[in-house]
Amino acid sequence: AAPLCGEEDADAGAQGPAAKERFPGQSVYHIKWIRWKDESTPVITQNENGPCPLLAILNVLLLAWKVKLPPMMEIITAEQLMEYLGDYMLDAKPKEISEIQRLNYEQNMSDAMAILHKLQTGLDVNVKFSGVRVFEYTPECVVFDLLDIPLYHGWLVDPQTDDAVKAVGNCSYNQLVEKIILCKQSDDSQLASEGFAAEQFLNSTATQLTYHGLCELTAAVQEGELCVFFRNNHFSTMTKHQGQLYLLVTDQGFLTEEKVVWESLHNVDGDGNFCDSDFHLRPPSDPDTVYKGQQDQIDQDYLMALSLQEQQNQEVNWEQIPEGISDLELAKKLQEEEDRRASQFYQEQEHAAAAAAASAQPQQGQPAEASPSSGRQPAISDRKRKEPREKDKEKEKEKPSCVIL
């Protein structure tokens, strides 16, 4: 079967009892307003089972200001989203075109309308492993063509792996699965070998993104382009800023995280860096201690973490590292050391804060600003926020730029 954006329950998107009471029996989604290019712009968020194709498309149109929502709107139903999308498709109809182009457009519009309801559940998308914009043609692809929204993927076979290239060929995902089944049943050793190579390729790229695909994707997407990215059976809104790819953060868990807007796409493991709408690095709050309106404290904690990380990098005893250690093992050792030092650092900070609180007139200190000179993202423990406290109302310091490996 083709990789789908999972079949979701029609009512799974309803969020909270208040929303259910106002819109009984309907899927309801929360709206997050961000400052996008100096303009207040809405972004549709989703819970775990949200209709990702519909939201990815609508968020592209919202960020491009092609679709506008009423100011301060907080929730929206799936039916309303479909209405906004349908209205835009009708308004976007080309005006001066030839008779042949008109007939072709009307046929495409008819095909798109017939499958539009699938945007709320899942689309049949069958990738081909030869290019980041190469998909087997399906009626679902017509929607992206009509809306003039590029659809990308990064599930490419590395041309340097001869066995995989030969085994995969120009197959789509569906065709490759069928080929593997047939080859396994064949007595021909050559076919059996190809089947094994094809199966090994699918198993080793189960995340549906390869480093070759990521390189091709980075080269193909235009600077500032708003598009949709397909990976792991999920559709995401994507853009490119200063040569780096970013995915829009639409998880409802970040609804109140005003400064968490984008997540970098710079490796195949899916552990990107969170950034604000200006693509500056913004670690999210600890979910257990989120306190709305205290985002500056996160920035200060992050600067502390950078200082700690700089110190840790300077104190690493490279002579004690065994020869022949792999990059992954080395990274794990450095991360463990970094986590240990971060924990120690914050324990010292808490002790210092407790000592200050014991005095008659506690003084509030401000952490020294650090430059993001290290190329690694701070560990999760580095980003944990402390309890909210009153801060001197000084002019906000310049935020560190997003550092991408």
Side-chain angles (χ1 to χ4, degrees), residues 35-272:
R35 199 70 187 170
W36 173 242
K37 297 180 179 179
D38 295 327
E39 183 170 325
S40 182
T41 305
V43 169
I44 312 299
T45 65
Q46 65 186 113
N47 73 335
E48 185 178 356
N49 296 313
C52 54
L54 178 60
L55 299 193
I57 289 173
L58 256 300
N59 281 328
V60 166
L61 298 176
L62 289 169
L63 290 174
W65 304 313
K66 293 180 179 179
V67 169
K68 293 184 177 291
L69 301 183
M72 306 307 294
M73 189 176 187
E74 294 183 353
I75 58 176
I76 191 167
T77 66
E79 289 78 3
Q80 288 174 314
L81 289 175
M82 294 296 291
E83 289 177 5
Y84 276 107
L85 181 59
D87 290 344
Y88 174 77
M89 291 177 68
L90 293 175
D91 292 341
K93 179 180 179 180
K95 301 299 186 288
E96 298 180 1
I97 55 177
S98 67
E99 182 66 16
I100 295 178
Q101 289 174 324
R102 184 185 65 80
L103 292 174
N104 184 59
Y105 180 86
E106 290 178 353
Q107 181 60 53
N108 289 338
M109 179 68 79
S110 176
D111 293 341
M113 289 299 180
I115 57 90
L116 212 55
H117 65 282
K118 291 186 178 181
L119 292 176
Q120 299 184 62
T121 53
L123 289 183
D124 183 359
V125 175
N126 194 13
V127 306
K128 288 193 172 185
F129 308 99
S130 54
V132 293
R133 292 203 62 180
V134 183
F135 297 84
E136 183 178 73
Y137 178 82
T138 60
E140 285 84 344
C141 295
V142 173
V143 176
F144 294 93
D145 293 337
L146 282 175
L147 296 171
D148 194 26
I149 295 177
L151 177 63
Y152 291 94
H153 73 89
W155 200 359
L156 302 188
V157 62
D158 189 336
Q160 296 182 350
T161 55
D162 296 335
D163 290 345
V165 170
K166 182 179 179 181
V168 173
N170 194 39
C171 290
S172 66
Y173 173 81
N174 283 353
Q175 292 169 340
L176 191 60
V177 171
E178 293 173 0
K179 178 177 180 178
I180 292 172
I181 295 173
L182 291 174
C183 288
K184 278 188 171 183
Q185 297 172 347
S186 174
D187 295 330
D188 188 309
S189 60
Q190 183 175 351
L191 288 177
S193 178
E194 280 195 23
F196 174 76
E199 186 175 36
Q200 191 176 39
F201 166 73
L202 290 184
N203 291 338
S204 63
T205 60
T207 61
Q208 302 182 6
L209 179 65
T210 64
Y211 278 109
H212 173 66
L214 183 57
C215 291
E216 292 293 307
L217 192 64
T218 304
V221 178
Q222 300 299 308
E223 182 72 16
E225 180 178 7
L226 290 168
C227 52
V228 172
F229 176 57
F230 177 77
R231 180 197 181 187
N232 279 340
N233 304 331
H234 183 77
F235 296 84
S236 304
T237 302
M238 181 170 68
T239 192
K240 183 177 179 180
H241 176 74
Q242 294 185 354
Q244 297 288 344
L245 298 176
Y246 295 88
L247 303 179
L248 185 67
V249 178
T250 58
D251 191 312
Q252 188 182 307
F254 294 96
L255 181 64
T256 59
E257 297 273 359
E258 298 176 0
K259 296 181 180 179
V260 176
V261 178
W262 298 100
E263 182 179 8
S264 63
L265 178 65
H266 62 271
N267 61 44
V268 301
D269 299 322
D271 53 345

Side-chain angles (χ1 to χ4, degrees), residues 359-375:
S359 64
Q361 297 292 334
Q363 297 297 319
Q364 183 70 48
Q366 294 292 338
E369 184 169 359
S371 171
S373 58
S374 174

Side-chain angles (χ1 to χ4, degrees), residues 305-324:
L306 284 177
S307 267
L308 175 68
Q309 183 177 308
E310 265 190 350
Q311 178 185 0
Q312 182 263 324
N313 287 341
Q314 293 169 359
E315 296 179 2
V316 170
N317 189 346
W318 297 98
E319 295 180 357
Q320 295 181 359
I321 297 177
E323 294 184 4

